Amino acid sequence: MSEAKAFAMTCPLPLSDHPRIKMAHGGGGRMMQGLIEDVFFAAFGNPVLRSGHDGAVLDLPQGQPVMTTDSYVVRPLFFPGGDIGALAVHGTVNDLAMCGARPLYLSASFILEEGLETATLWRVVQSMRAAADATGIQIVTGDTKVVERGHGDGIYINTTGVGVIEHEIQIRPDRIKKDDLIIVSGDIGRHGMAVMGAREELAFTPPIESDCAPLWNTVADMLDAGIDIHCLRDATRGGLCAVLNELAQSSGLQFDVVESDIPLAANVRGACEVLGLDALQVACEGRFVAMVPKSDAERALEIMKVQNGSSSVIGRVTDGEAGLVTLQTAIGGRRILDMPAGELLPRIC
Amino acid sequence: MKYIDEYRDPEAARKTAAAIAKTVTRPWTIMEVCGGQTHAIVRFGIQDLLPDAVELVHGPGCPVCVTPLEMVDKAIEIAARDEVIFCSFGDMLRVPGSEKDLLTVRAEGGDVRSVYTPLDTLKIATDNPDKQVVFFAVGFETTAPANAMAVHRAKEKGLENFSVLASHVLVPPAIEAILSSPDNRVQGFLAAGHVCAVMGTAAYAPLAEKYQVPIVVTGFEPLDILQGIHRCICQLEEGRAEVENQYERAVRDAGNVGAQALISKVFRLIPRKWRGIGEIAASGWTLSDAYADFDAERRFDLADMEVAEPENCISGLVLRGLEKPADCPAFGKQCTPDHPLGATMVSGEGACAAYYRYRKDRAHE
Amino acid sequence: MCLAVPGEIISIEGDDALSRSGQVRFGDVMREVCLAFVPEAVLGNYVLVHAGIAISVLDEDAAQRTFRALEEIE
């Protein structure tokens, strides 16, 4: 059986001895060493990690190195379609992919709350391993701290990623040009609804699953096909609306999108209608927006459709008002898509 | 989604808008009362499809905008207490009280939870017997059946740790207050379709008659609103002042009799202060004597409130259609969706927030 | 005020009128909805749901009339 499957079947940490994380697990002594070896090394196991240095000495292939970092504080820790561990890996790996960099290595730093069930930590760490395997990256260094009960949300994770750009295509907001087409890589709004639905009062049947997923393979295929990608950005908090606003602002251009072209799954749509939420503002996790010249759009779309059949061209770039994002509505009217402000709350009015 | 998609058909929208344009011969001012209709107008860009001669004024139909400041402050005071789990519809969490909002209370450690239905708060109360669960029961008549059912069930179950802060408001008195104001500019109304689904349409004929204004009971999808506007314009052009029901697939003249029965058991009529407008007689509901035990205002010893709105907030005038948001000196400057001075800028369908979005669009044209 | 959404009744339970509830489908998802105020509603009916409560049964004939009016509009 595969190595991944083998390690998943037995948790080497003697749970009966340490069913919960204690302050001493972050104390630098024997208990912390035990945690590191029995949980982190066991799950992430690779020679670089096991060498136990203060830092990871990396073998970087030829190309421009890229680094990115992100912290993950999602509550609840587990939700339909994912968990904080998968997010922590995919999220950072995807940020590298959005720069056009092949993801190689990740660091993983944990802030654990005293009293966290060790079995929960094990589940999260297994999930990180599975996510890492899915993109072929290695987790090569990390850190562990424990904070007093009440001072953390169970687990906070920071991951920093290193990748390398192995091609000549410049992928940056200032490369976005008038007449570029805007393509979204799949249906939107899943992740936010999945996390919201983990709260019993806001849940639907069947549960909506997060779209948490790795994006590098699609980007790699687009680069291999020679698509002249101008810009990529993955949609996370604030959803599609936030991404469009950010890019419109950074590029100083106007984006015009068409509501009926934006892919939305029937379950996400139903839940958003009932709770009064704007699906365009609901968080995604495994979705990105690509800005490509018109001539490359059809080929780009074909490649993106391989990962998700609902990928769609949703609009275009114009040289109207800098930073403005407009939406042609379902009935042919027009409205401005403002940067989302604050928390998304169900409404009744 | 059935009963939704058909009412968002772009071709039918174009045709109806064209019919409106063909019918108008002079400017008219129409008010849609309900915040949900304002939301649809903004969301679908309906104003874009209308001829300039038709002016839509957004009325006081949003509980976010009209819940009295004192009530918001009381909610904040209750929510801040250690023993309380404070539950509310999401809309109310961002409404500014005199000093802060409920989200700030949550940031400061209060247990503040948004719910979709008040019925879920009963389970929260059963699951947390050592806490006081309080529900912020705001809304127009549409929400009264849900709120009444929650209180009624709490009484049946003998839930002692459950109470509601009741702040219902009623639409017909608000319409009358607007129409009876000497500087009223509104010539026709789109009545709130979901309010009428509950309460029926009887309350509007006397208003149409007394003030000689057409009142069209209207739904919430874009085609409903366009059709409602068209019918209103037809009446105005023909000099009629009748009550019409555009939303007949959901609204019967008698309304929902069962819901009305429970409402009259659980609630009683009182005068209500409307934020920005002032007190309107017989315009609110609070808990009836039979359910008084569940009234949070009685259960919690609340201090008398000295409330003060920011001086430069004109949301009351905006809510009555007397001023446009752009007329307010603070609009877009001290007062923006990120730093709202008054409720009409907080709510997504508050007139000021809606205008804030249009303003960028208009400036661009 | 009044975000109410039409959904199809998929199941009904509860004998007592005031405790009647059911699963209602919106698009591809379902939620439990209180059906106490629509005693006449049966499986397959569409109801208007606001804050977890069905406040009205949608009348297909009336909907058809609305459509005809929209189609005949000049």
Side-chain angles (χ1 to χ4, degrees):
Chain A
M1 74 180 103
S2 72
E3 196 196 317
K5 249 190 151 152
F7 99 86
M9 289 172 68
T10 51
C11 171
L13 187 73
L15 288 181
S16 51
D17 284 3
H18 298 287
R20 288 184 183 275
I21 298 296
K22 304 196 175 93
M23 292 303 296
H25 281 117
R30 219 198 322 255
M31 273 179 73
M32 188 173 103
Q33 208 47 44
L35 183 73
I36 290 175
E37 282 177 9
D38 296 339
V39 174
F40 299 121
F41 281 11
F44 302 146
N46 58 72
V48 179
L49 185 61
R50 284 183 185 281
S51 70
H53 280 327
D54 277 340
V57 180
L58 305 176
D59 254 327
L60 284 184
Q62 284 276 53
Q64 181 99 46
V66 177
M67 187 170 98
T68 182
T69 189
D70 230 321
S71 298
Y72 299 86
V73 301
V74 69
R75 267 246 116 155
L77 299 176
F78 303 96
F79 43 86
D83 57 56
I84 189 175
L87 278 193
V89 172
H90 289 315
T92 297
V93 161
N94 289 346
D95 281 344
L96 291 172
M98 294 297 103
C99 300
R102 178 158 70 94
L104 295 168
Y105 303 111
L106 235 55
S107 74
S109 295
F110 295 83
I111 298 180
L112 307 174
E113 187 184 359
E114 180 188 20
L116 172 74
E117 286 183 21
T118 318
T120 301
L121 177 61
W122 182 244
R123 238 179 106 185
V124 168
V125 152
Q126 281 187 308
S127 181
M128 292 175 76
R129 170 62 188 264
D133 285 349
T135 327
I137 61 119
Q138 295 187 331
I139 297 171
V140 293
T141 188
D143 182 60
T144 311
K145 294 287 183 298
V146 181
V147 292
E148 279 173 17
R149 189 188 286 276
H151 289 256
D153 251 343
I155 306 179
Y156 293 145
I157 307 178
N158 169 279
T159 47
T160 298
V162 171
V164 73
I165 295 179
E166 296 169 308
H167 55 83
E168 297 300 313
I169 301 180
Q170 304 285 311
I171 301 178
R172 293 190 318 259
D174 63 9
R175 280 246 297 149
I176 300 174
K177 299 266 171 311
K178 173 172 179 281
D179 295 333
D180 278 357
L181 292 187
I182 305 169
I183 312 179
V184 71
S185 73
D187 61 286
I188 58 164
R190 285 189 187 277
H191 178 73
M193 296 316 290
V195 171
M196 194 176 270
R199 265 190 65 199
E200 201 187 324
E201 296 95 44
L202 299 177
F204 290 83
T205 328
I208 295 172
E209 303 219 331
S210 169
D211 50 348
C212 179
L215 300 172
W216 168 244
N217 290 337
T218 307
V219 176
D221 288 346
M222 288 167 78
L223 291 166
D224 286 343
I227 307 276
D228 181 22
I229 306 173
H230 287 172
C231 194
L232 300 170
R233 177 127 336 149
D234 61 338
T236 54
R237 272 182 320 276
L240 180 66
C241 192
V243 163
L244 293 174
N245 270 279
E246 280 165 20
L247 291 180
Q249 284 208 1
S250 315
S251 64
L253 292 165
Q254 176 173 323
F255 294 177
D256 295 331
V257 297
V258 177
E259 183 171 14
S260 49
D261 291 336
I262 298 174
L264 187 59
N267 59 354
V268 175
R269 183 174 178 215
C272 285
E273 288 284 348
V274 171
L275 297 178
L277 300 171
D278 181 355
L280 298 181
Q281 297 191 13
V282 179
C284 312
E285 264 303 320
R287 297 286 181 264
F288 68 97
V289 152
M291 324 289 286
V292 302
K294 232 158 82 172
S295 47
D296 280 351
E298 203 178 309
R299 282 191 306 140
L301 181 63
E302 237 177 78
I303 294 169
M304 288 161 80
K305 277 190 157 158
V306 170
Q307 169 160 53
N308 188 304
S310 7
S311 300
S312 169
V313 175
I314 60 169
R316 58 190 198 96
V317 180
T318 69
D319 56 359
E321 185 180 321
L324 188 67
V325 182
T326 77
L327 181 80
Q328 182 187 303
T329 72
I331 60 155
R334 199 170 91 124
R335 70 173 165 113
I336 310 272
L337 286 185
D338 270 328
M339 192 60 156
E343 205 177 327
L344 212 53
L345 295 166
R347 67 181 176 93
I348 194 182
C349 182
Chain B
M1 286 173 75
K2 188 168 152 76
Y3 291 114
I4 291 186
D5 292 336
E6 317 89 286
Y7 297 90
R8 297 184 186 179
D9 174 59
E11 189 47 48
R14 243 188 313 272
K15 268 177 70 175
T16 313
I20 294 170
K22 233 173 96 171
T23 314
V24 290
T25 63
R26 42 167 286 205
W28 296 109
T29 301
I30 297 178
M31 174 179 275
E32 94 280 355
V33 182
C34 186
Q37 290 163 337
T38 312
H39 189 93
I41 289 167
V42 173
R43 175 183 175 183
F44 291 99
I46 289 175
Q47 186 77 65
D48 279 352
L49 303 179
L50 296 174
D52 288 340
V54 177
E55 184 193 354
L56 285 181
V57 172
H58 308 312
C62 175
V64 176
C65 299
V66 304
T67 298
L69 189 50
E70 294 87 343
M71 268 305 174
V72 179
D73 284 343
K74 284 181 185 173
I76 286 169
E77 191 186 321
I78 294 173
R81 298 195 186 193
D82 284 333
E83 75 276 19
V84 168
I85 298 178
F86 194 84
C87 302
S88 168
F89 296 122
D91 321 55
M92 293 308 295
L93 297 186
R94 268 194 278 261
V95 178
S98 296
E99 281 173 24
K100 52 180 134 177
D101 59 33
L102 284 165
L103 283 182
T104 313
V105 174
R106 192 175 72 183
E108 291 170 353
D111 192 340
V112 176
R113 306 187 192 185
S114 69
V115 292
Y116 160 68
T117 171
L119 300 179
D120 282 341
T121 59
L122 299 171
K123 181 161 189 298
I124 296 177
T126 327
D127 289 347
N128 294 276
D130 55 339
K131 295 275 186 183
Q132 283 289 326
V133 174
V134 182
F135 177 66
F136 200 2
V138 300
F140 279 94
E141 297 94 317
T142 320
T143 318
N147 293 340
M149 181 59 83
V151 179
H152 178 72
R153 284 195 181 161
K155 184 170 179 186
E156 290 203 310
K157 292 180 203 243
L159 269 186
E160 290 186 348
N161 63 333
F162 174 83
S163 61
V164 302
L165 189 60
S167 183
H168 268 288
V169 282
L170 307 179
V171 168
I175 293 183
E176 176 138 41
I178 289 168
L179 285 169
S180 59
S181 167
D183 36 10
N184 171 51
R185 293 175 45 236
V186 179
Q187 296 160 307
F189 281 90
L190 302 185
H194 292 146
V195 167
C196 294
V198 174
M199 301 303 292
T201 59
Y204 300 93
L207 291 170
E209 169 78 34
K210 182 173 174 188
Y211 297 95
Q212 286 298 298
V213 286
I215 301 180
V216 180
V217 177
T218 303
F220 293 74
E221 294 299 329
L223 284 188
D224 289 319
I225 293 172
L226 285 166
Q227 195 178 47
I229 293 171
H230 181 245
R231 295 217 181 147
C232 201
I233 295 288
C234 285
Q235 285 206 41
L236 287 168
E237 291 283 339
E238 294 164 24
R240 290 184 286 127
E242 293 155 10
V243 177
E244 267 188 74
N245 183 0
Q246 179 280 331
Y247 198 26
E248 52 168 340
R249 67 186 182 277
V251 176
R252 268 108 249 164
D253 283 340
N256 187 318
V257 171
Q260 290 167 27
L262 190 66
I263 288 170
S264 53
K265 248 178 96 170
V266 173
F267 293 112
R268 64 182 169 87
L269 197 59
I270 54 163
R272 178 72 77 195
K273 207 160 154 204
W274 292 54
R275 188 169 184 174
I277 295 180
E279 189 169 285
I280 303 179
S283 69
W285 282 332
T286 191
L287 289 178
S288 66
D289 291 337
Y291 292 82
D293 286 344
F294 294 94
D295 188 338
E297 278 188 274
R298 295 194 198 199
R299 187 175 296 195
F300 294 89
D301 191 10
L302 298 171
D304 272 329
M305 307 255 153
E306 275 293 321
V307 295
E309 294 276 14
E311 270 171 19
N312 44 0
C313 176
I314 63 163
S315 43
L317 297 172
V318 171
L319 285 170
R320 280 178 284 163
L322 298 174
E323 295 273 5
K324 291 250 182 350
D327 296 331
C328 173
F331 178 75
K333 304 185 186 88
Q334 299 103 301
C335 187
T336 66
D338 282 338
H339 313 109
L341 289 185
T344 44
M345 185 61 90
V346 167
S347 159
E349 48 269 5
C352 297
Y355 266 74
Y356 191 79
R357 288 189 195 102
Y358 281 133
R359 180 188 70 134
K360 292 207 285 194
D361 203 358
R362 293 296 184 240
H364 168 62
E365 281 163 16
Chain C
M1 158 141 238
C2 325
L3 174 65
V5 182
E8 183 188 0
I9 300 180
I10 302 294
S11 69
I12 301 181
E13 55 186 49
D15 317 295
D16 180 72
L18 277 189
S19 66
R20 228 163 81 107
S21 71
Q23 289 288 317
V24 175
R25 184 182 64 82
F26 306 94
D28 263 3
V29 287
M30 295 192 303
R31 248 202 87 106
E32 174 156 347
V33 169
C34 168
L35 300 176
F37 300 123
V38 287
E40 72 278 25
V42 297
L43 289 182
N45 276 165
Y46 275 77
V47 285
L48 209 53
V49 179
H50 170 78
I53 301 232
I55 56 173
S56 174
V57 180
L58 286 160
D59 180 343
E60 177 63 28
D61 291 336
Q64 289 300 328
R65 284 197 292 276
T66 304
F67 271 115
R68 274 200 296 281
L70 283 166
E71 275 165 15
E72 288 161 12
I73 208 168
E74 302 258 325

